[in-house]
Amino acid sequence: MIRPDTLAAIRAGDVDLAFRRWERPRVLVGTRLRTRVGVLEVTSVDQVAPSRITAAEARRAGAQSVAQLKGMLAAKADRPVWRVGLRYAGADPREELRAAVPDAEEVAAIRRRLDRLDAASAIGPWTRTTLAIIDRFPTVRAPELAAELGRDTPSFKRDVRKLKELGLTESLDIGYRLSPRGAAVVDAESGSPRADRVAAPDGTPFPRIGAPAARALRAQGIWTLEQVRALREDELAALHGVGPVAVRFLRDALAERGWGFAPG
């Protein structure tokens, strides 16, 4: 688990190390990790003695000092410390897949894949009902969707991740939404598009910024980066629930497009 502020720092190139206490390495050199900021690649994995961690390495891991880093490693002190090199490796490829609307042949292949997932499930067919409830209730929390289906939340979320791997759904800070690819598959199975489907907001979605910040922006009717750029940074930070990390994610997302907050 990597904290959102650390993820932002890795993406910016300010952090390129992590230290973990593991019995044995849980990642290998070349492992790619999909995160809310994109894909991270593991560049090195080495066991180190805590006494040999330098101040420079602590800063490269996002800590202010060796003492602070050692405090973060104080739990599970009986386990060895591993130094993990990390680099930002680009956007999550599932983003492009989600936007790719399939043709009839692709839809048929996806439907066969869904059939295989249903056949392999201990609870019976679940793929279509899960797609349907996400279609009906976008941006609703996973526990509420799971309860509606009479399922426990952890297994429901695991199954939604399988749909996400196929590019059919996207995770939001609060709940889920069908991707354009997922909507095309659902509509192909029903024979026609849903007339009452809630369309995704028109504009550029802002990055995942955490549920409190997302709720705060939604309460103001703000769903896109185009709307965010109309705000001054101090106006954004003044919203209850929008913390420094969320502001940083939004600032970086705006900068990627050559935008910025409204002038003060």
Side-chain angles (χ1 to χ4, degrees):
M1 300 296 292
I2 304 176
R3 291 172 23 174
D5 56 338
T6 304
L7 287 173
I10 294 171
R11 181 174 183 174
D14 299 328
V15 167
D16 64 357
L17 289 179
F19 289 86
R20 295 290 186 269
R21 282 197 180 272
W22 294 327
E23 289 287 356
R24 61 185 61 84
R26 296 184 183 176
V27 294
L28 302 172
V29 174
T31 296
R32 292 199 158 206
L33 311 170
R34 286 179 301 206
T35 73
R36 67 171 61 208
V37 301
V39 178
L40 306 185
E41 183 178 0
V42 176
T43 59
S44 63
V45 183
D46 302 291
Q47 186 174 341
V48 297
S51 61
R52 298 185 66 86
I53 298 173
T54 67
E57 287 176 327
R59 290 192 295 271
R60 288 170 59 191
Q64 295 180 356
S65 65
V66 173
Q68 183 187 54
L69 179 60
K70 288 182 177 179
M72 295 163 62
L73 294 170
K76 302 177 182 177
D78 58 319
R79 299 181 182 181
V81 174
W82 298 87
R83 180 180 57 212
V84 181
L86 297 167
R87 76 173 186 91
Y88 177 67
D92 188 333
R94 291 175 299 183
E95 294 180 10
E96 186 174 346
L97 180 62
R98 290 196 295 264
V101 176
D103 58 22
E105 184 176 344
E106 288 179 294
V107 167
I110 293 169
R111 293 174 69 178
R112 289 193 294 271
R113 182 68 180 274
L114 296 177
D115 290 340
R116 289 197 294 273
L117 289 172
D118 284 338
S121 173
I123 65 170
W126 60 269
T127 59
R128 274 64 170 194
T129 55
T130 303
L131 288 170
I133 200 167
I134 291 172
D135 194 15
R136 291 202 314 272
F137 302 112
T139 75
V140 172
R141 296 172 63 248
E144 297 171 39
L145 298 179
E148 183 74 15
L149 295 176
R151 298 191 56 183
D152 64 277
T153 300
S155 69
F156 174 79
K157 293 174 77 171
R158 283 196 298 271
D159 281 344
V160 173
R161 283 196 290 272
K162 297 172 187 175
L163 300 176
K164 186 177 180 181
E165 289 297 319
L166 298 177
L168 305 181
T169 66
E170 58 182 304
S171 297
L172 308 173
D173 281 309
I174 305 172
Y176 311 96
R177 181 166 54 215
L178 287 189
S179 66
R181 188 176 187 82
V185 171
V186 169
D187 291 343
E189 293 213 311
S190 67
S192 62
R194 269 192 61 198
D196 60 344
R197 176 177 291 132
V198 178
D202 187 20
T204 309
F206 44 74
R208 294 183 64 185
I209 55 176
R215 280 193 292 268
L217 291 179
R218 287 185 190 180
Q220 301 296 317
I222 298 171
W223 292 79
T224 67
L225 280 178
E226 285 81 358
Q227 293 171 298
V228 170
R229 67 186 296 206
L231 298 175
R232 298 193 314 271
E233 185 168 342
D234 63 320
E235 291 178 316
L236 182 66
L239 296 176
H240 180 69
V242 180
V245 174
V247 171
R248 179 175 182 176
F249 277 135
L250 291 168
R251 185 191 306 115
D252 290 347
L254 291 171
E256 285 178 7
R257 293 159 178 79
W259 300 342
F261 295 115

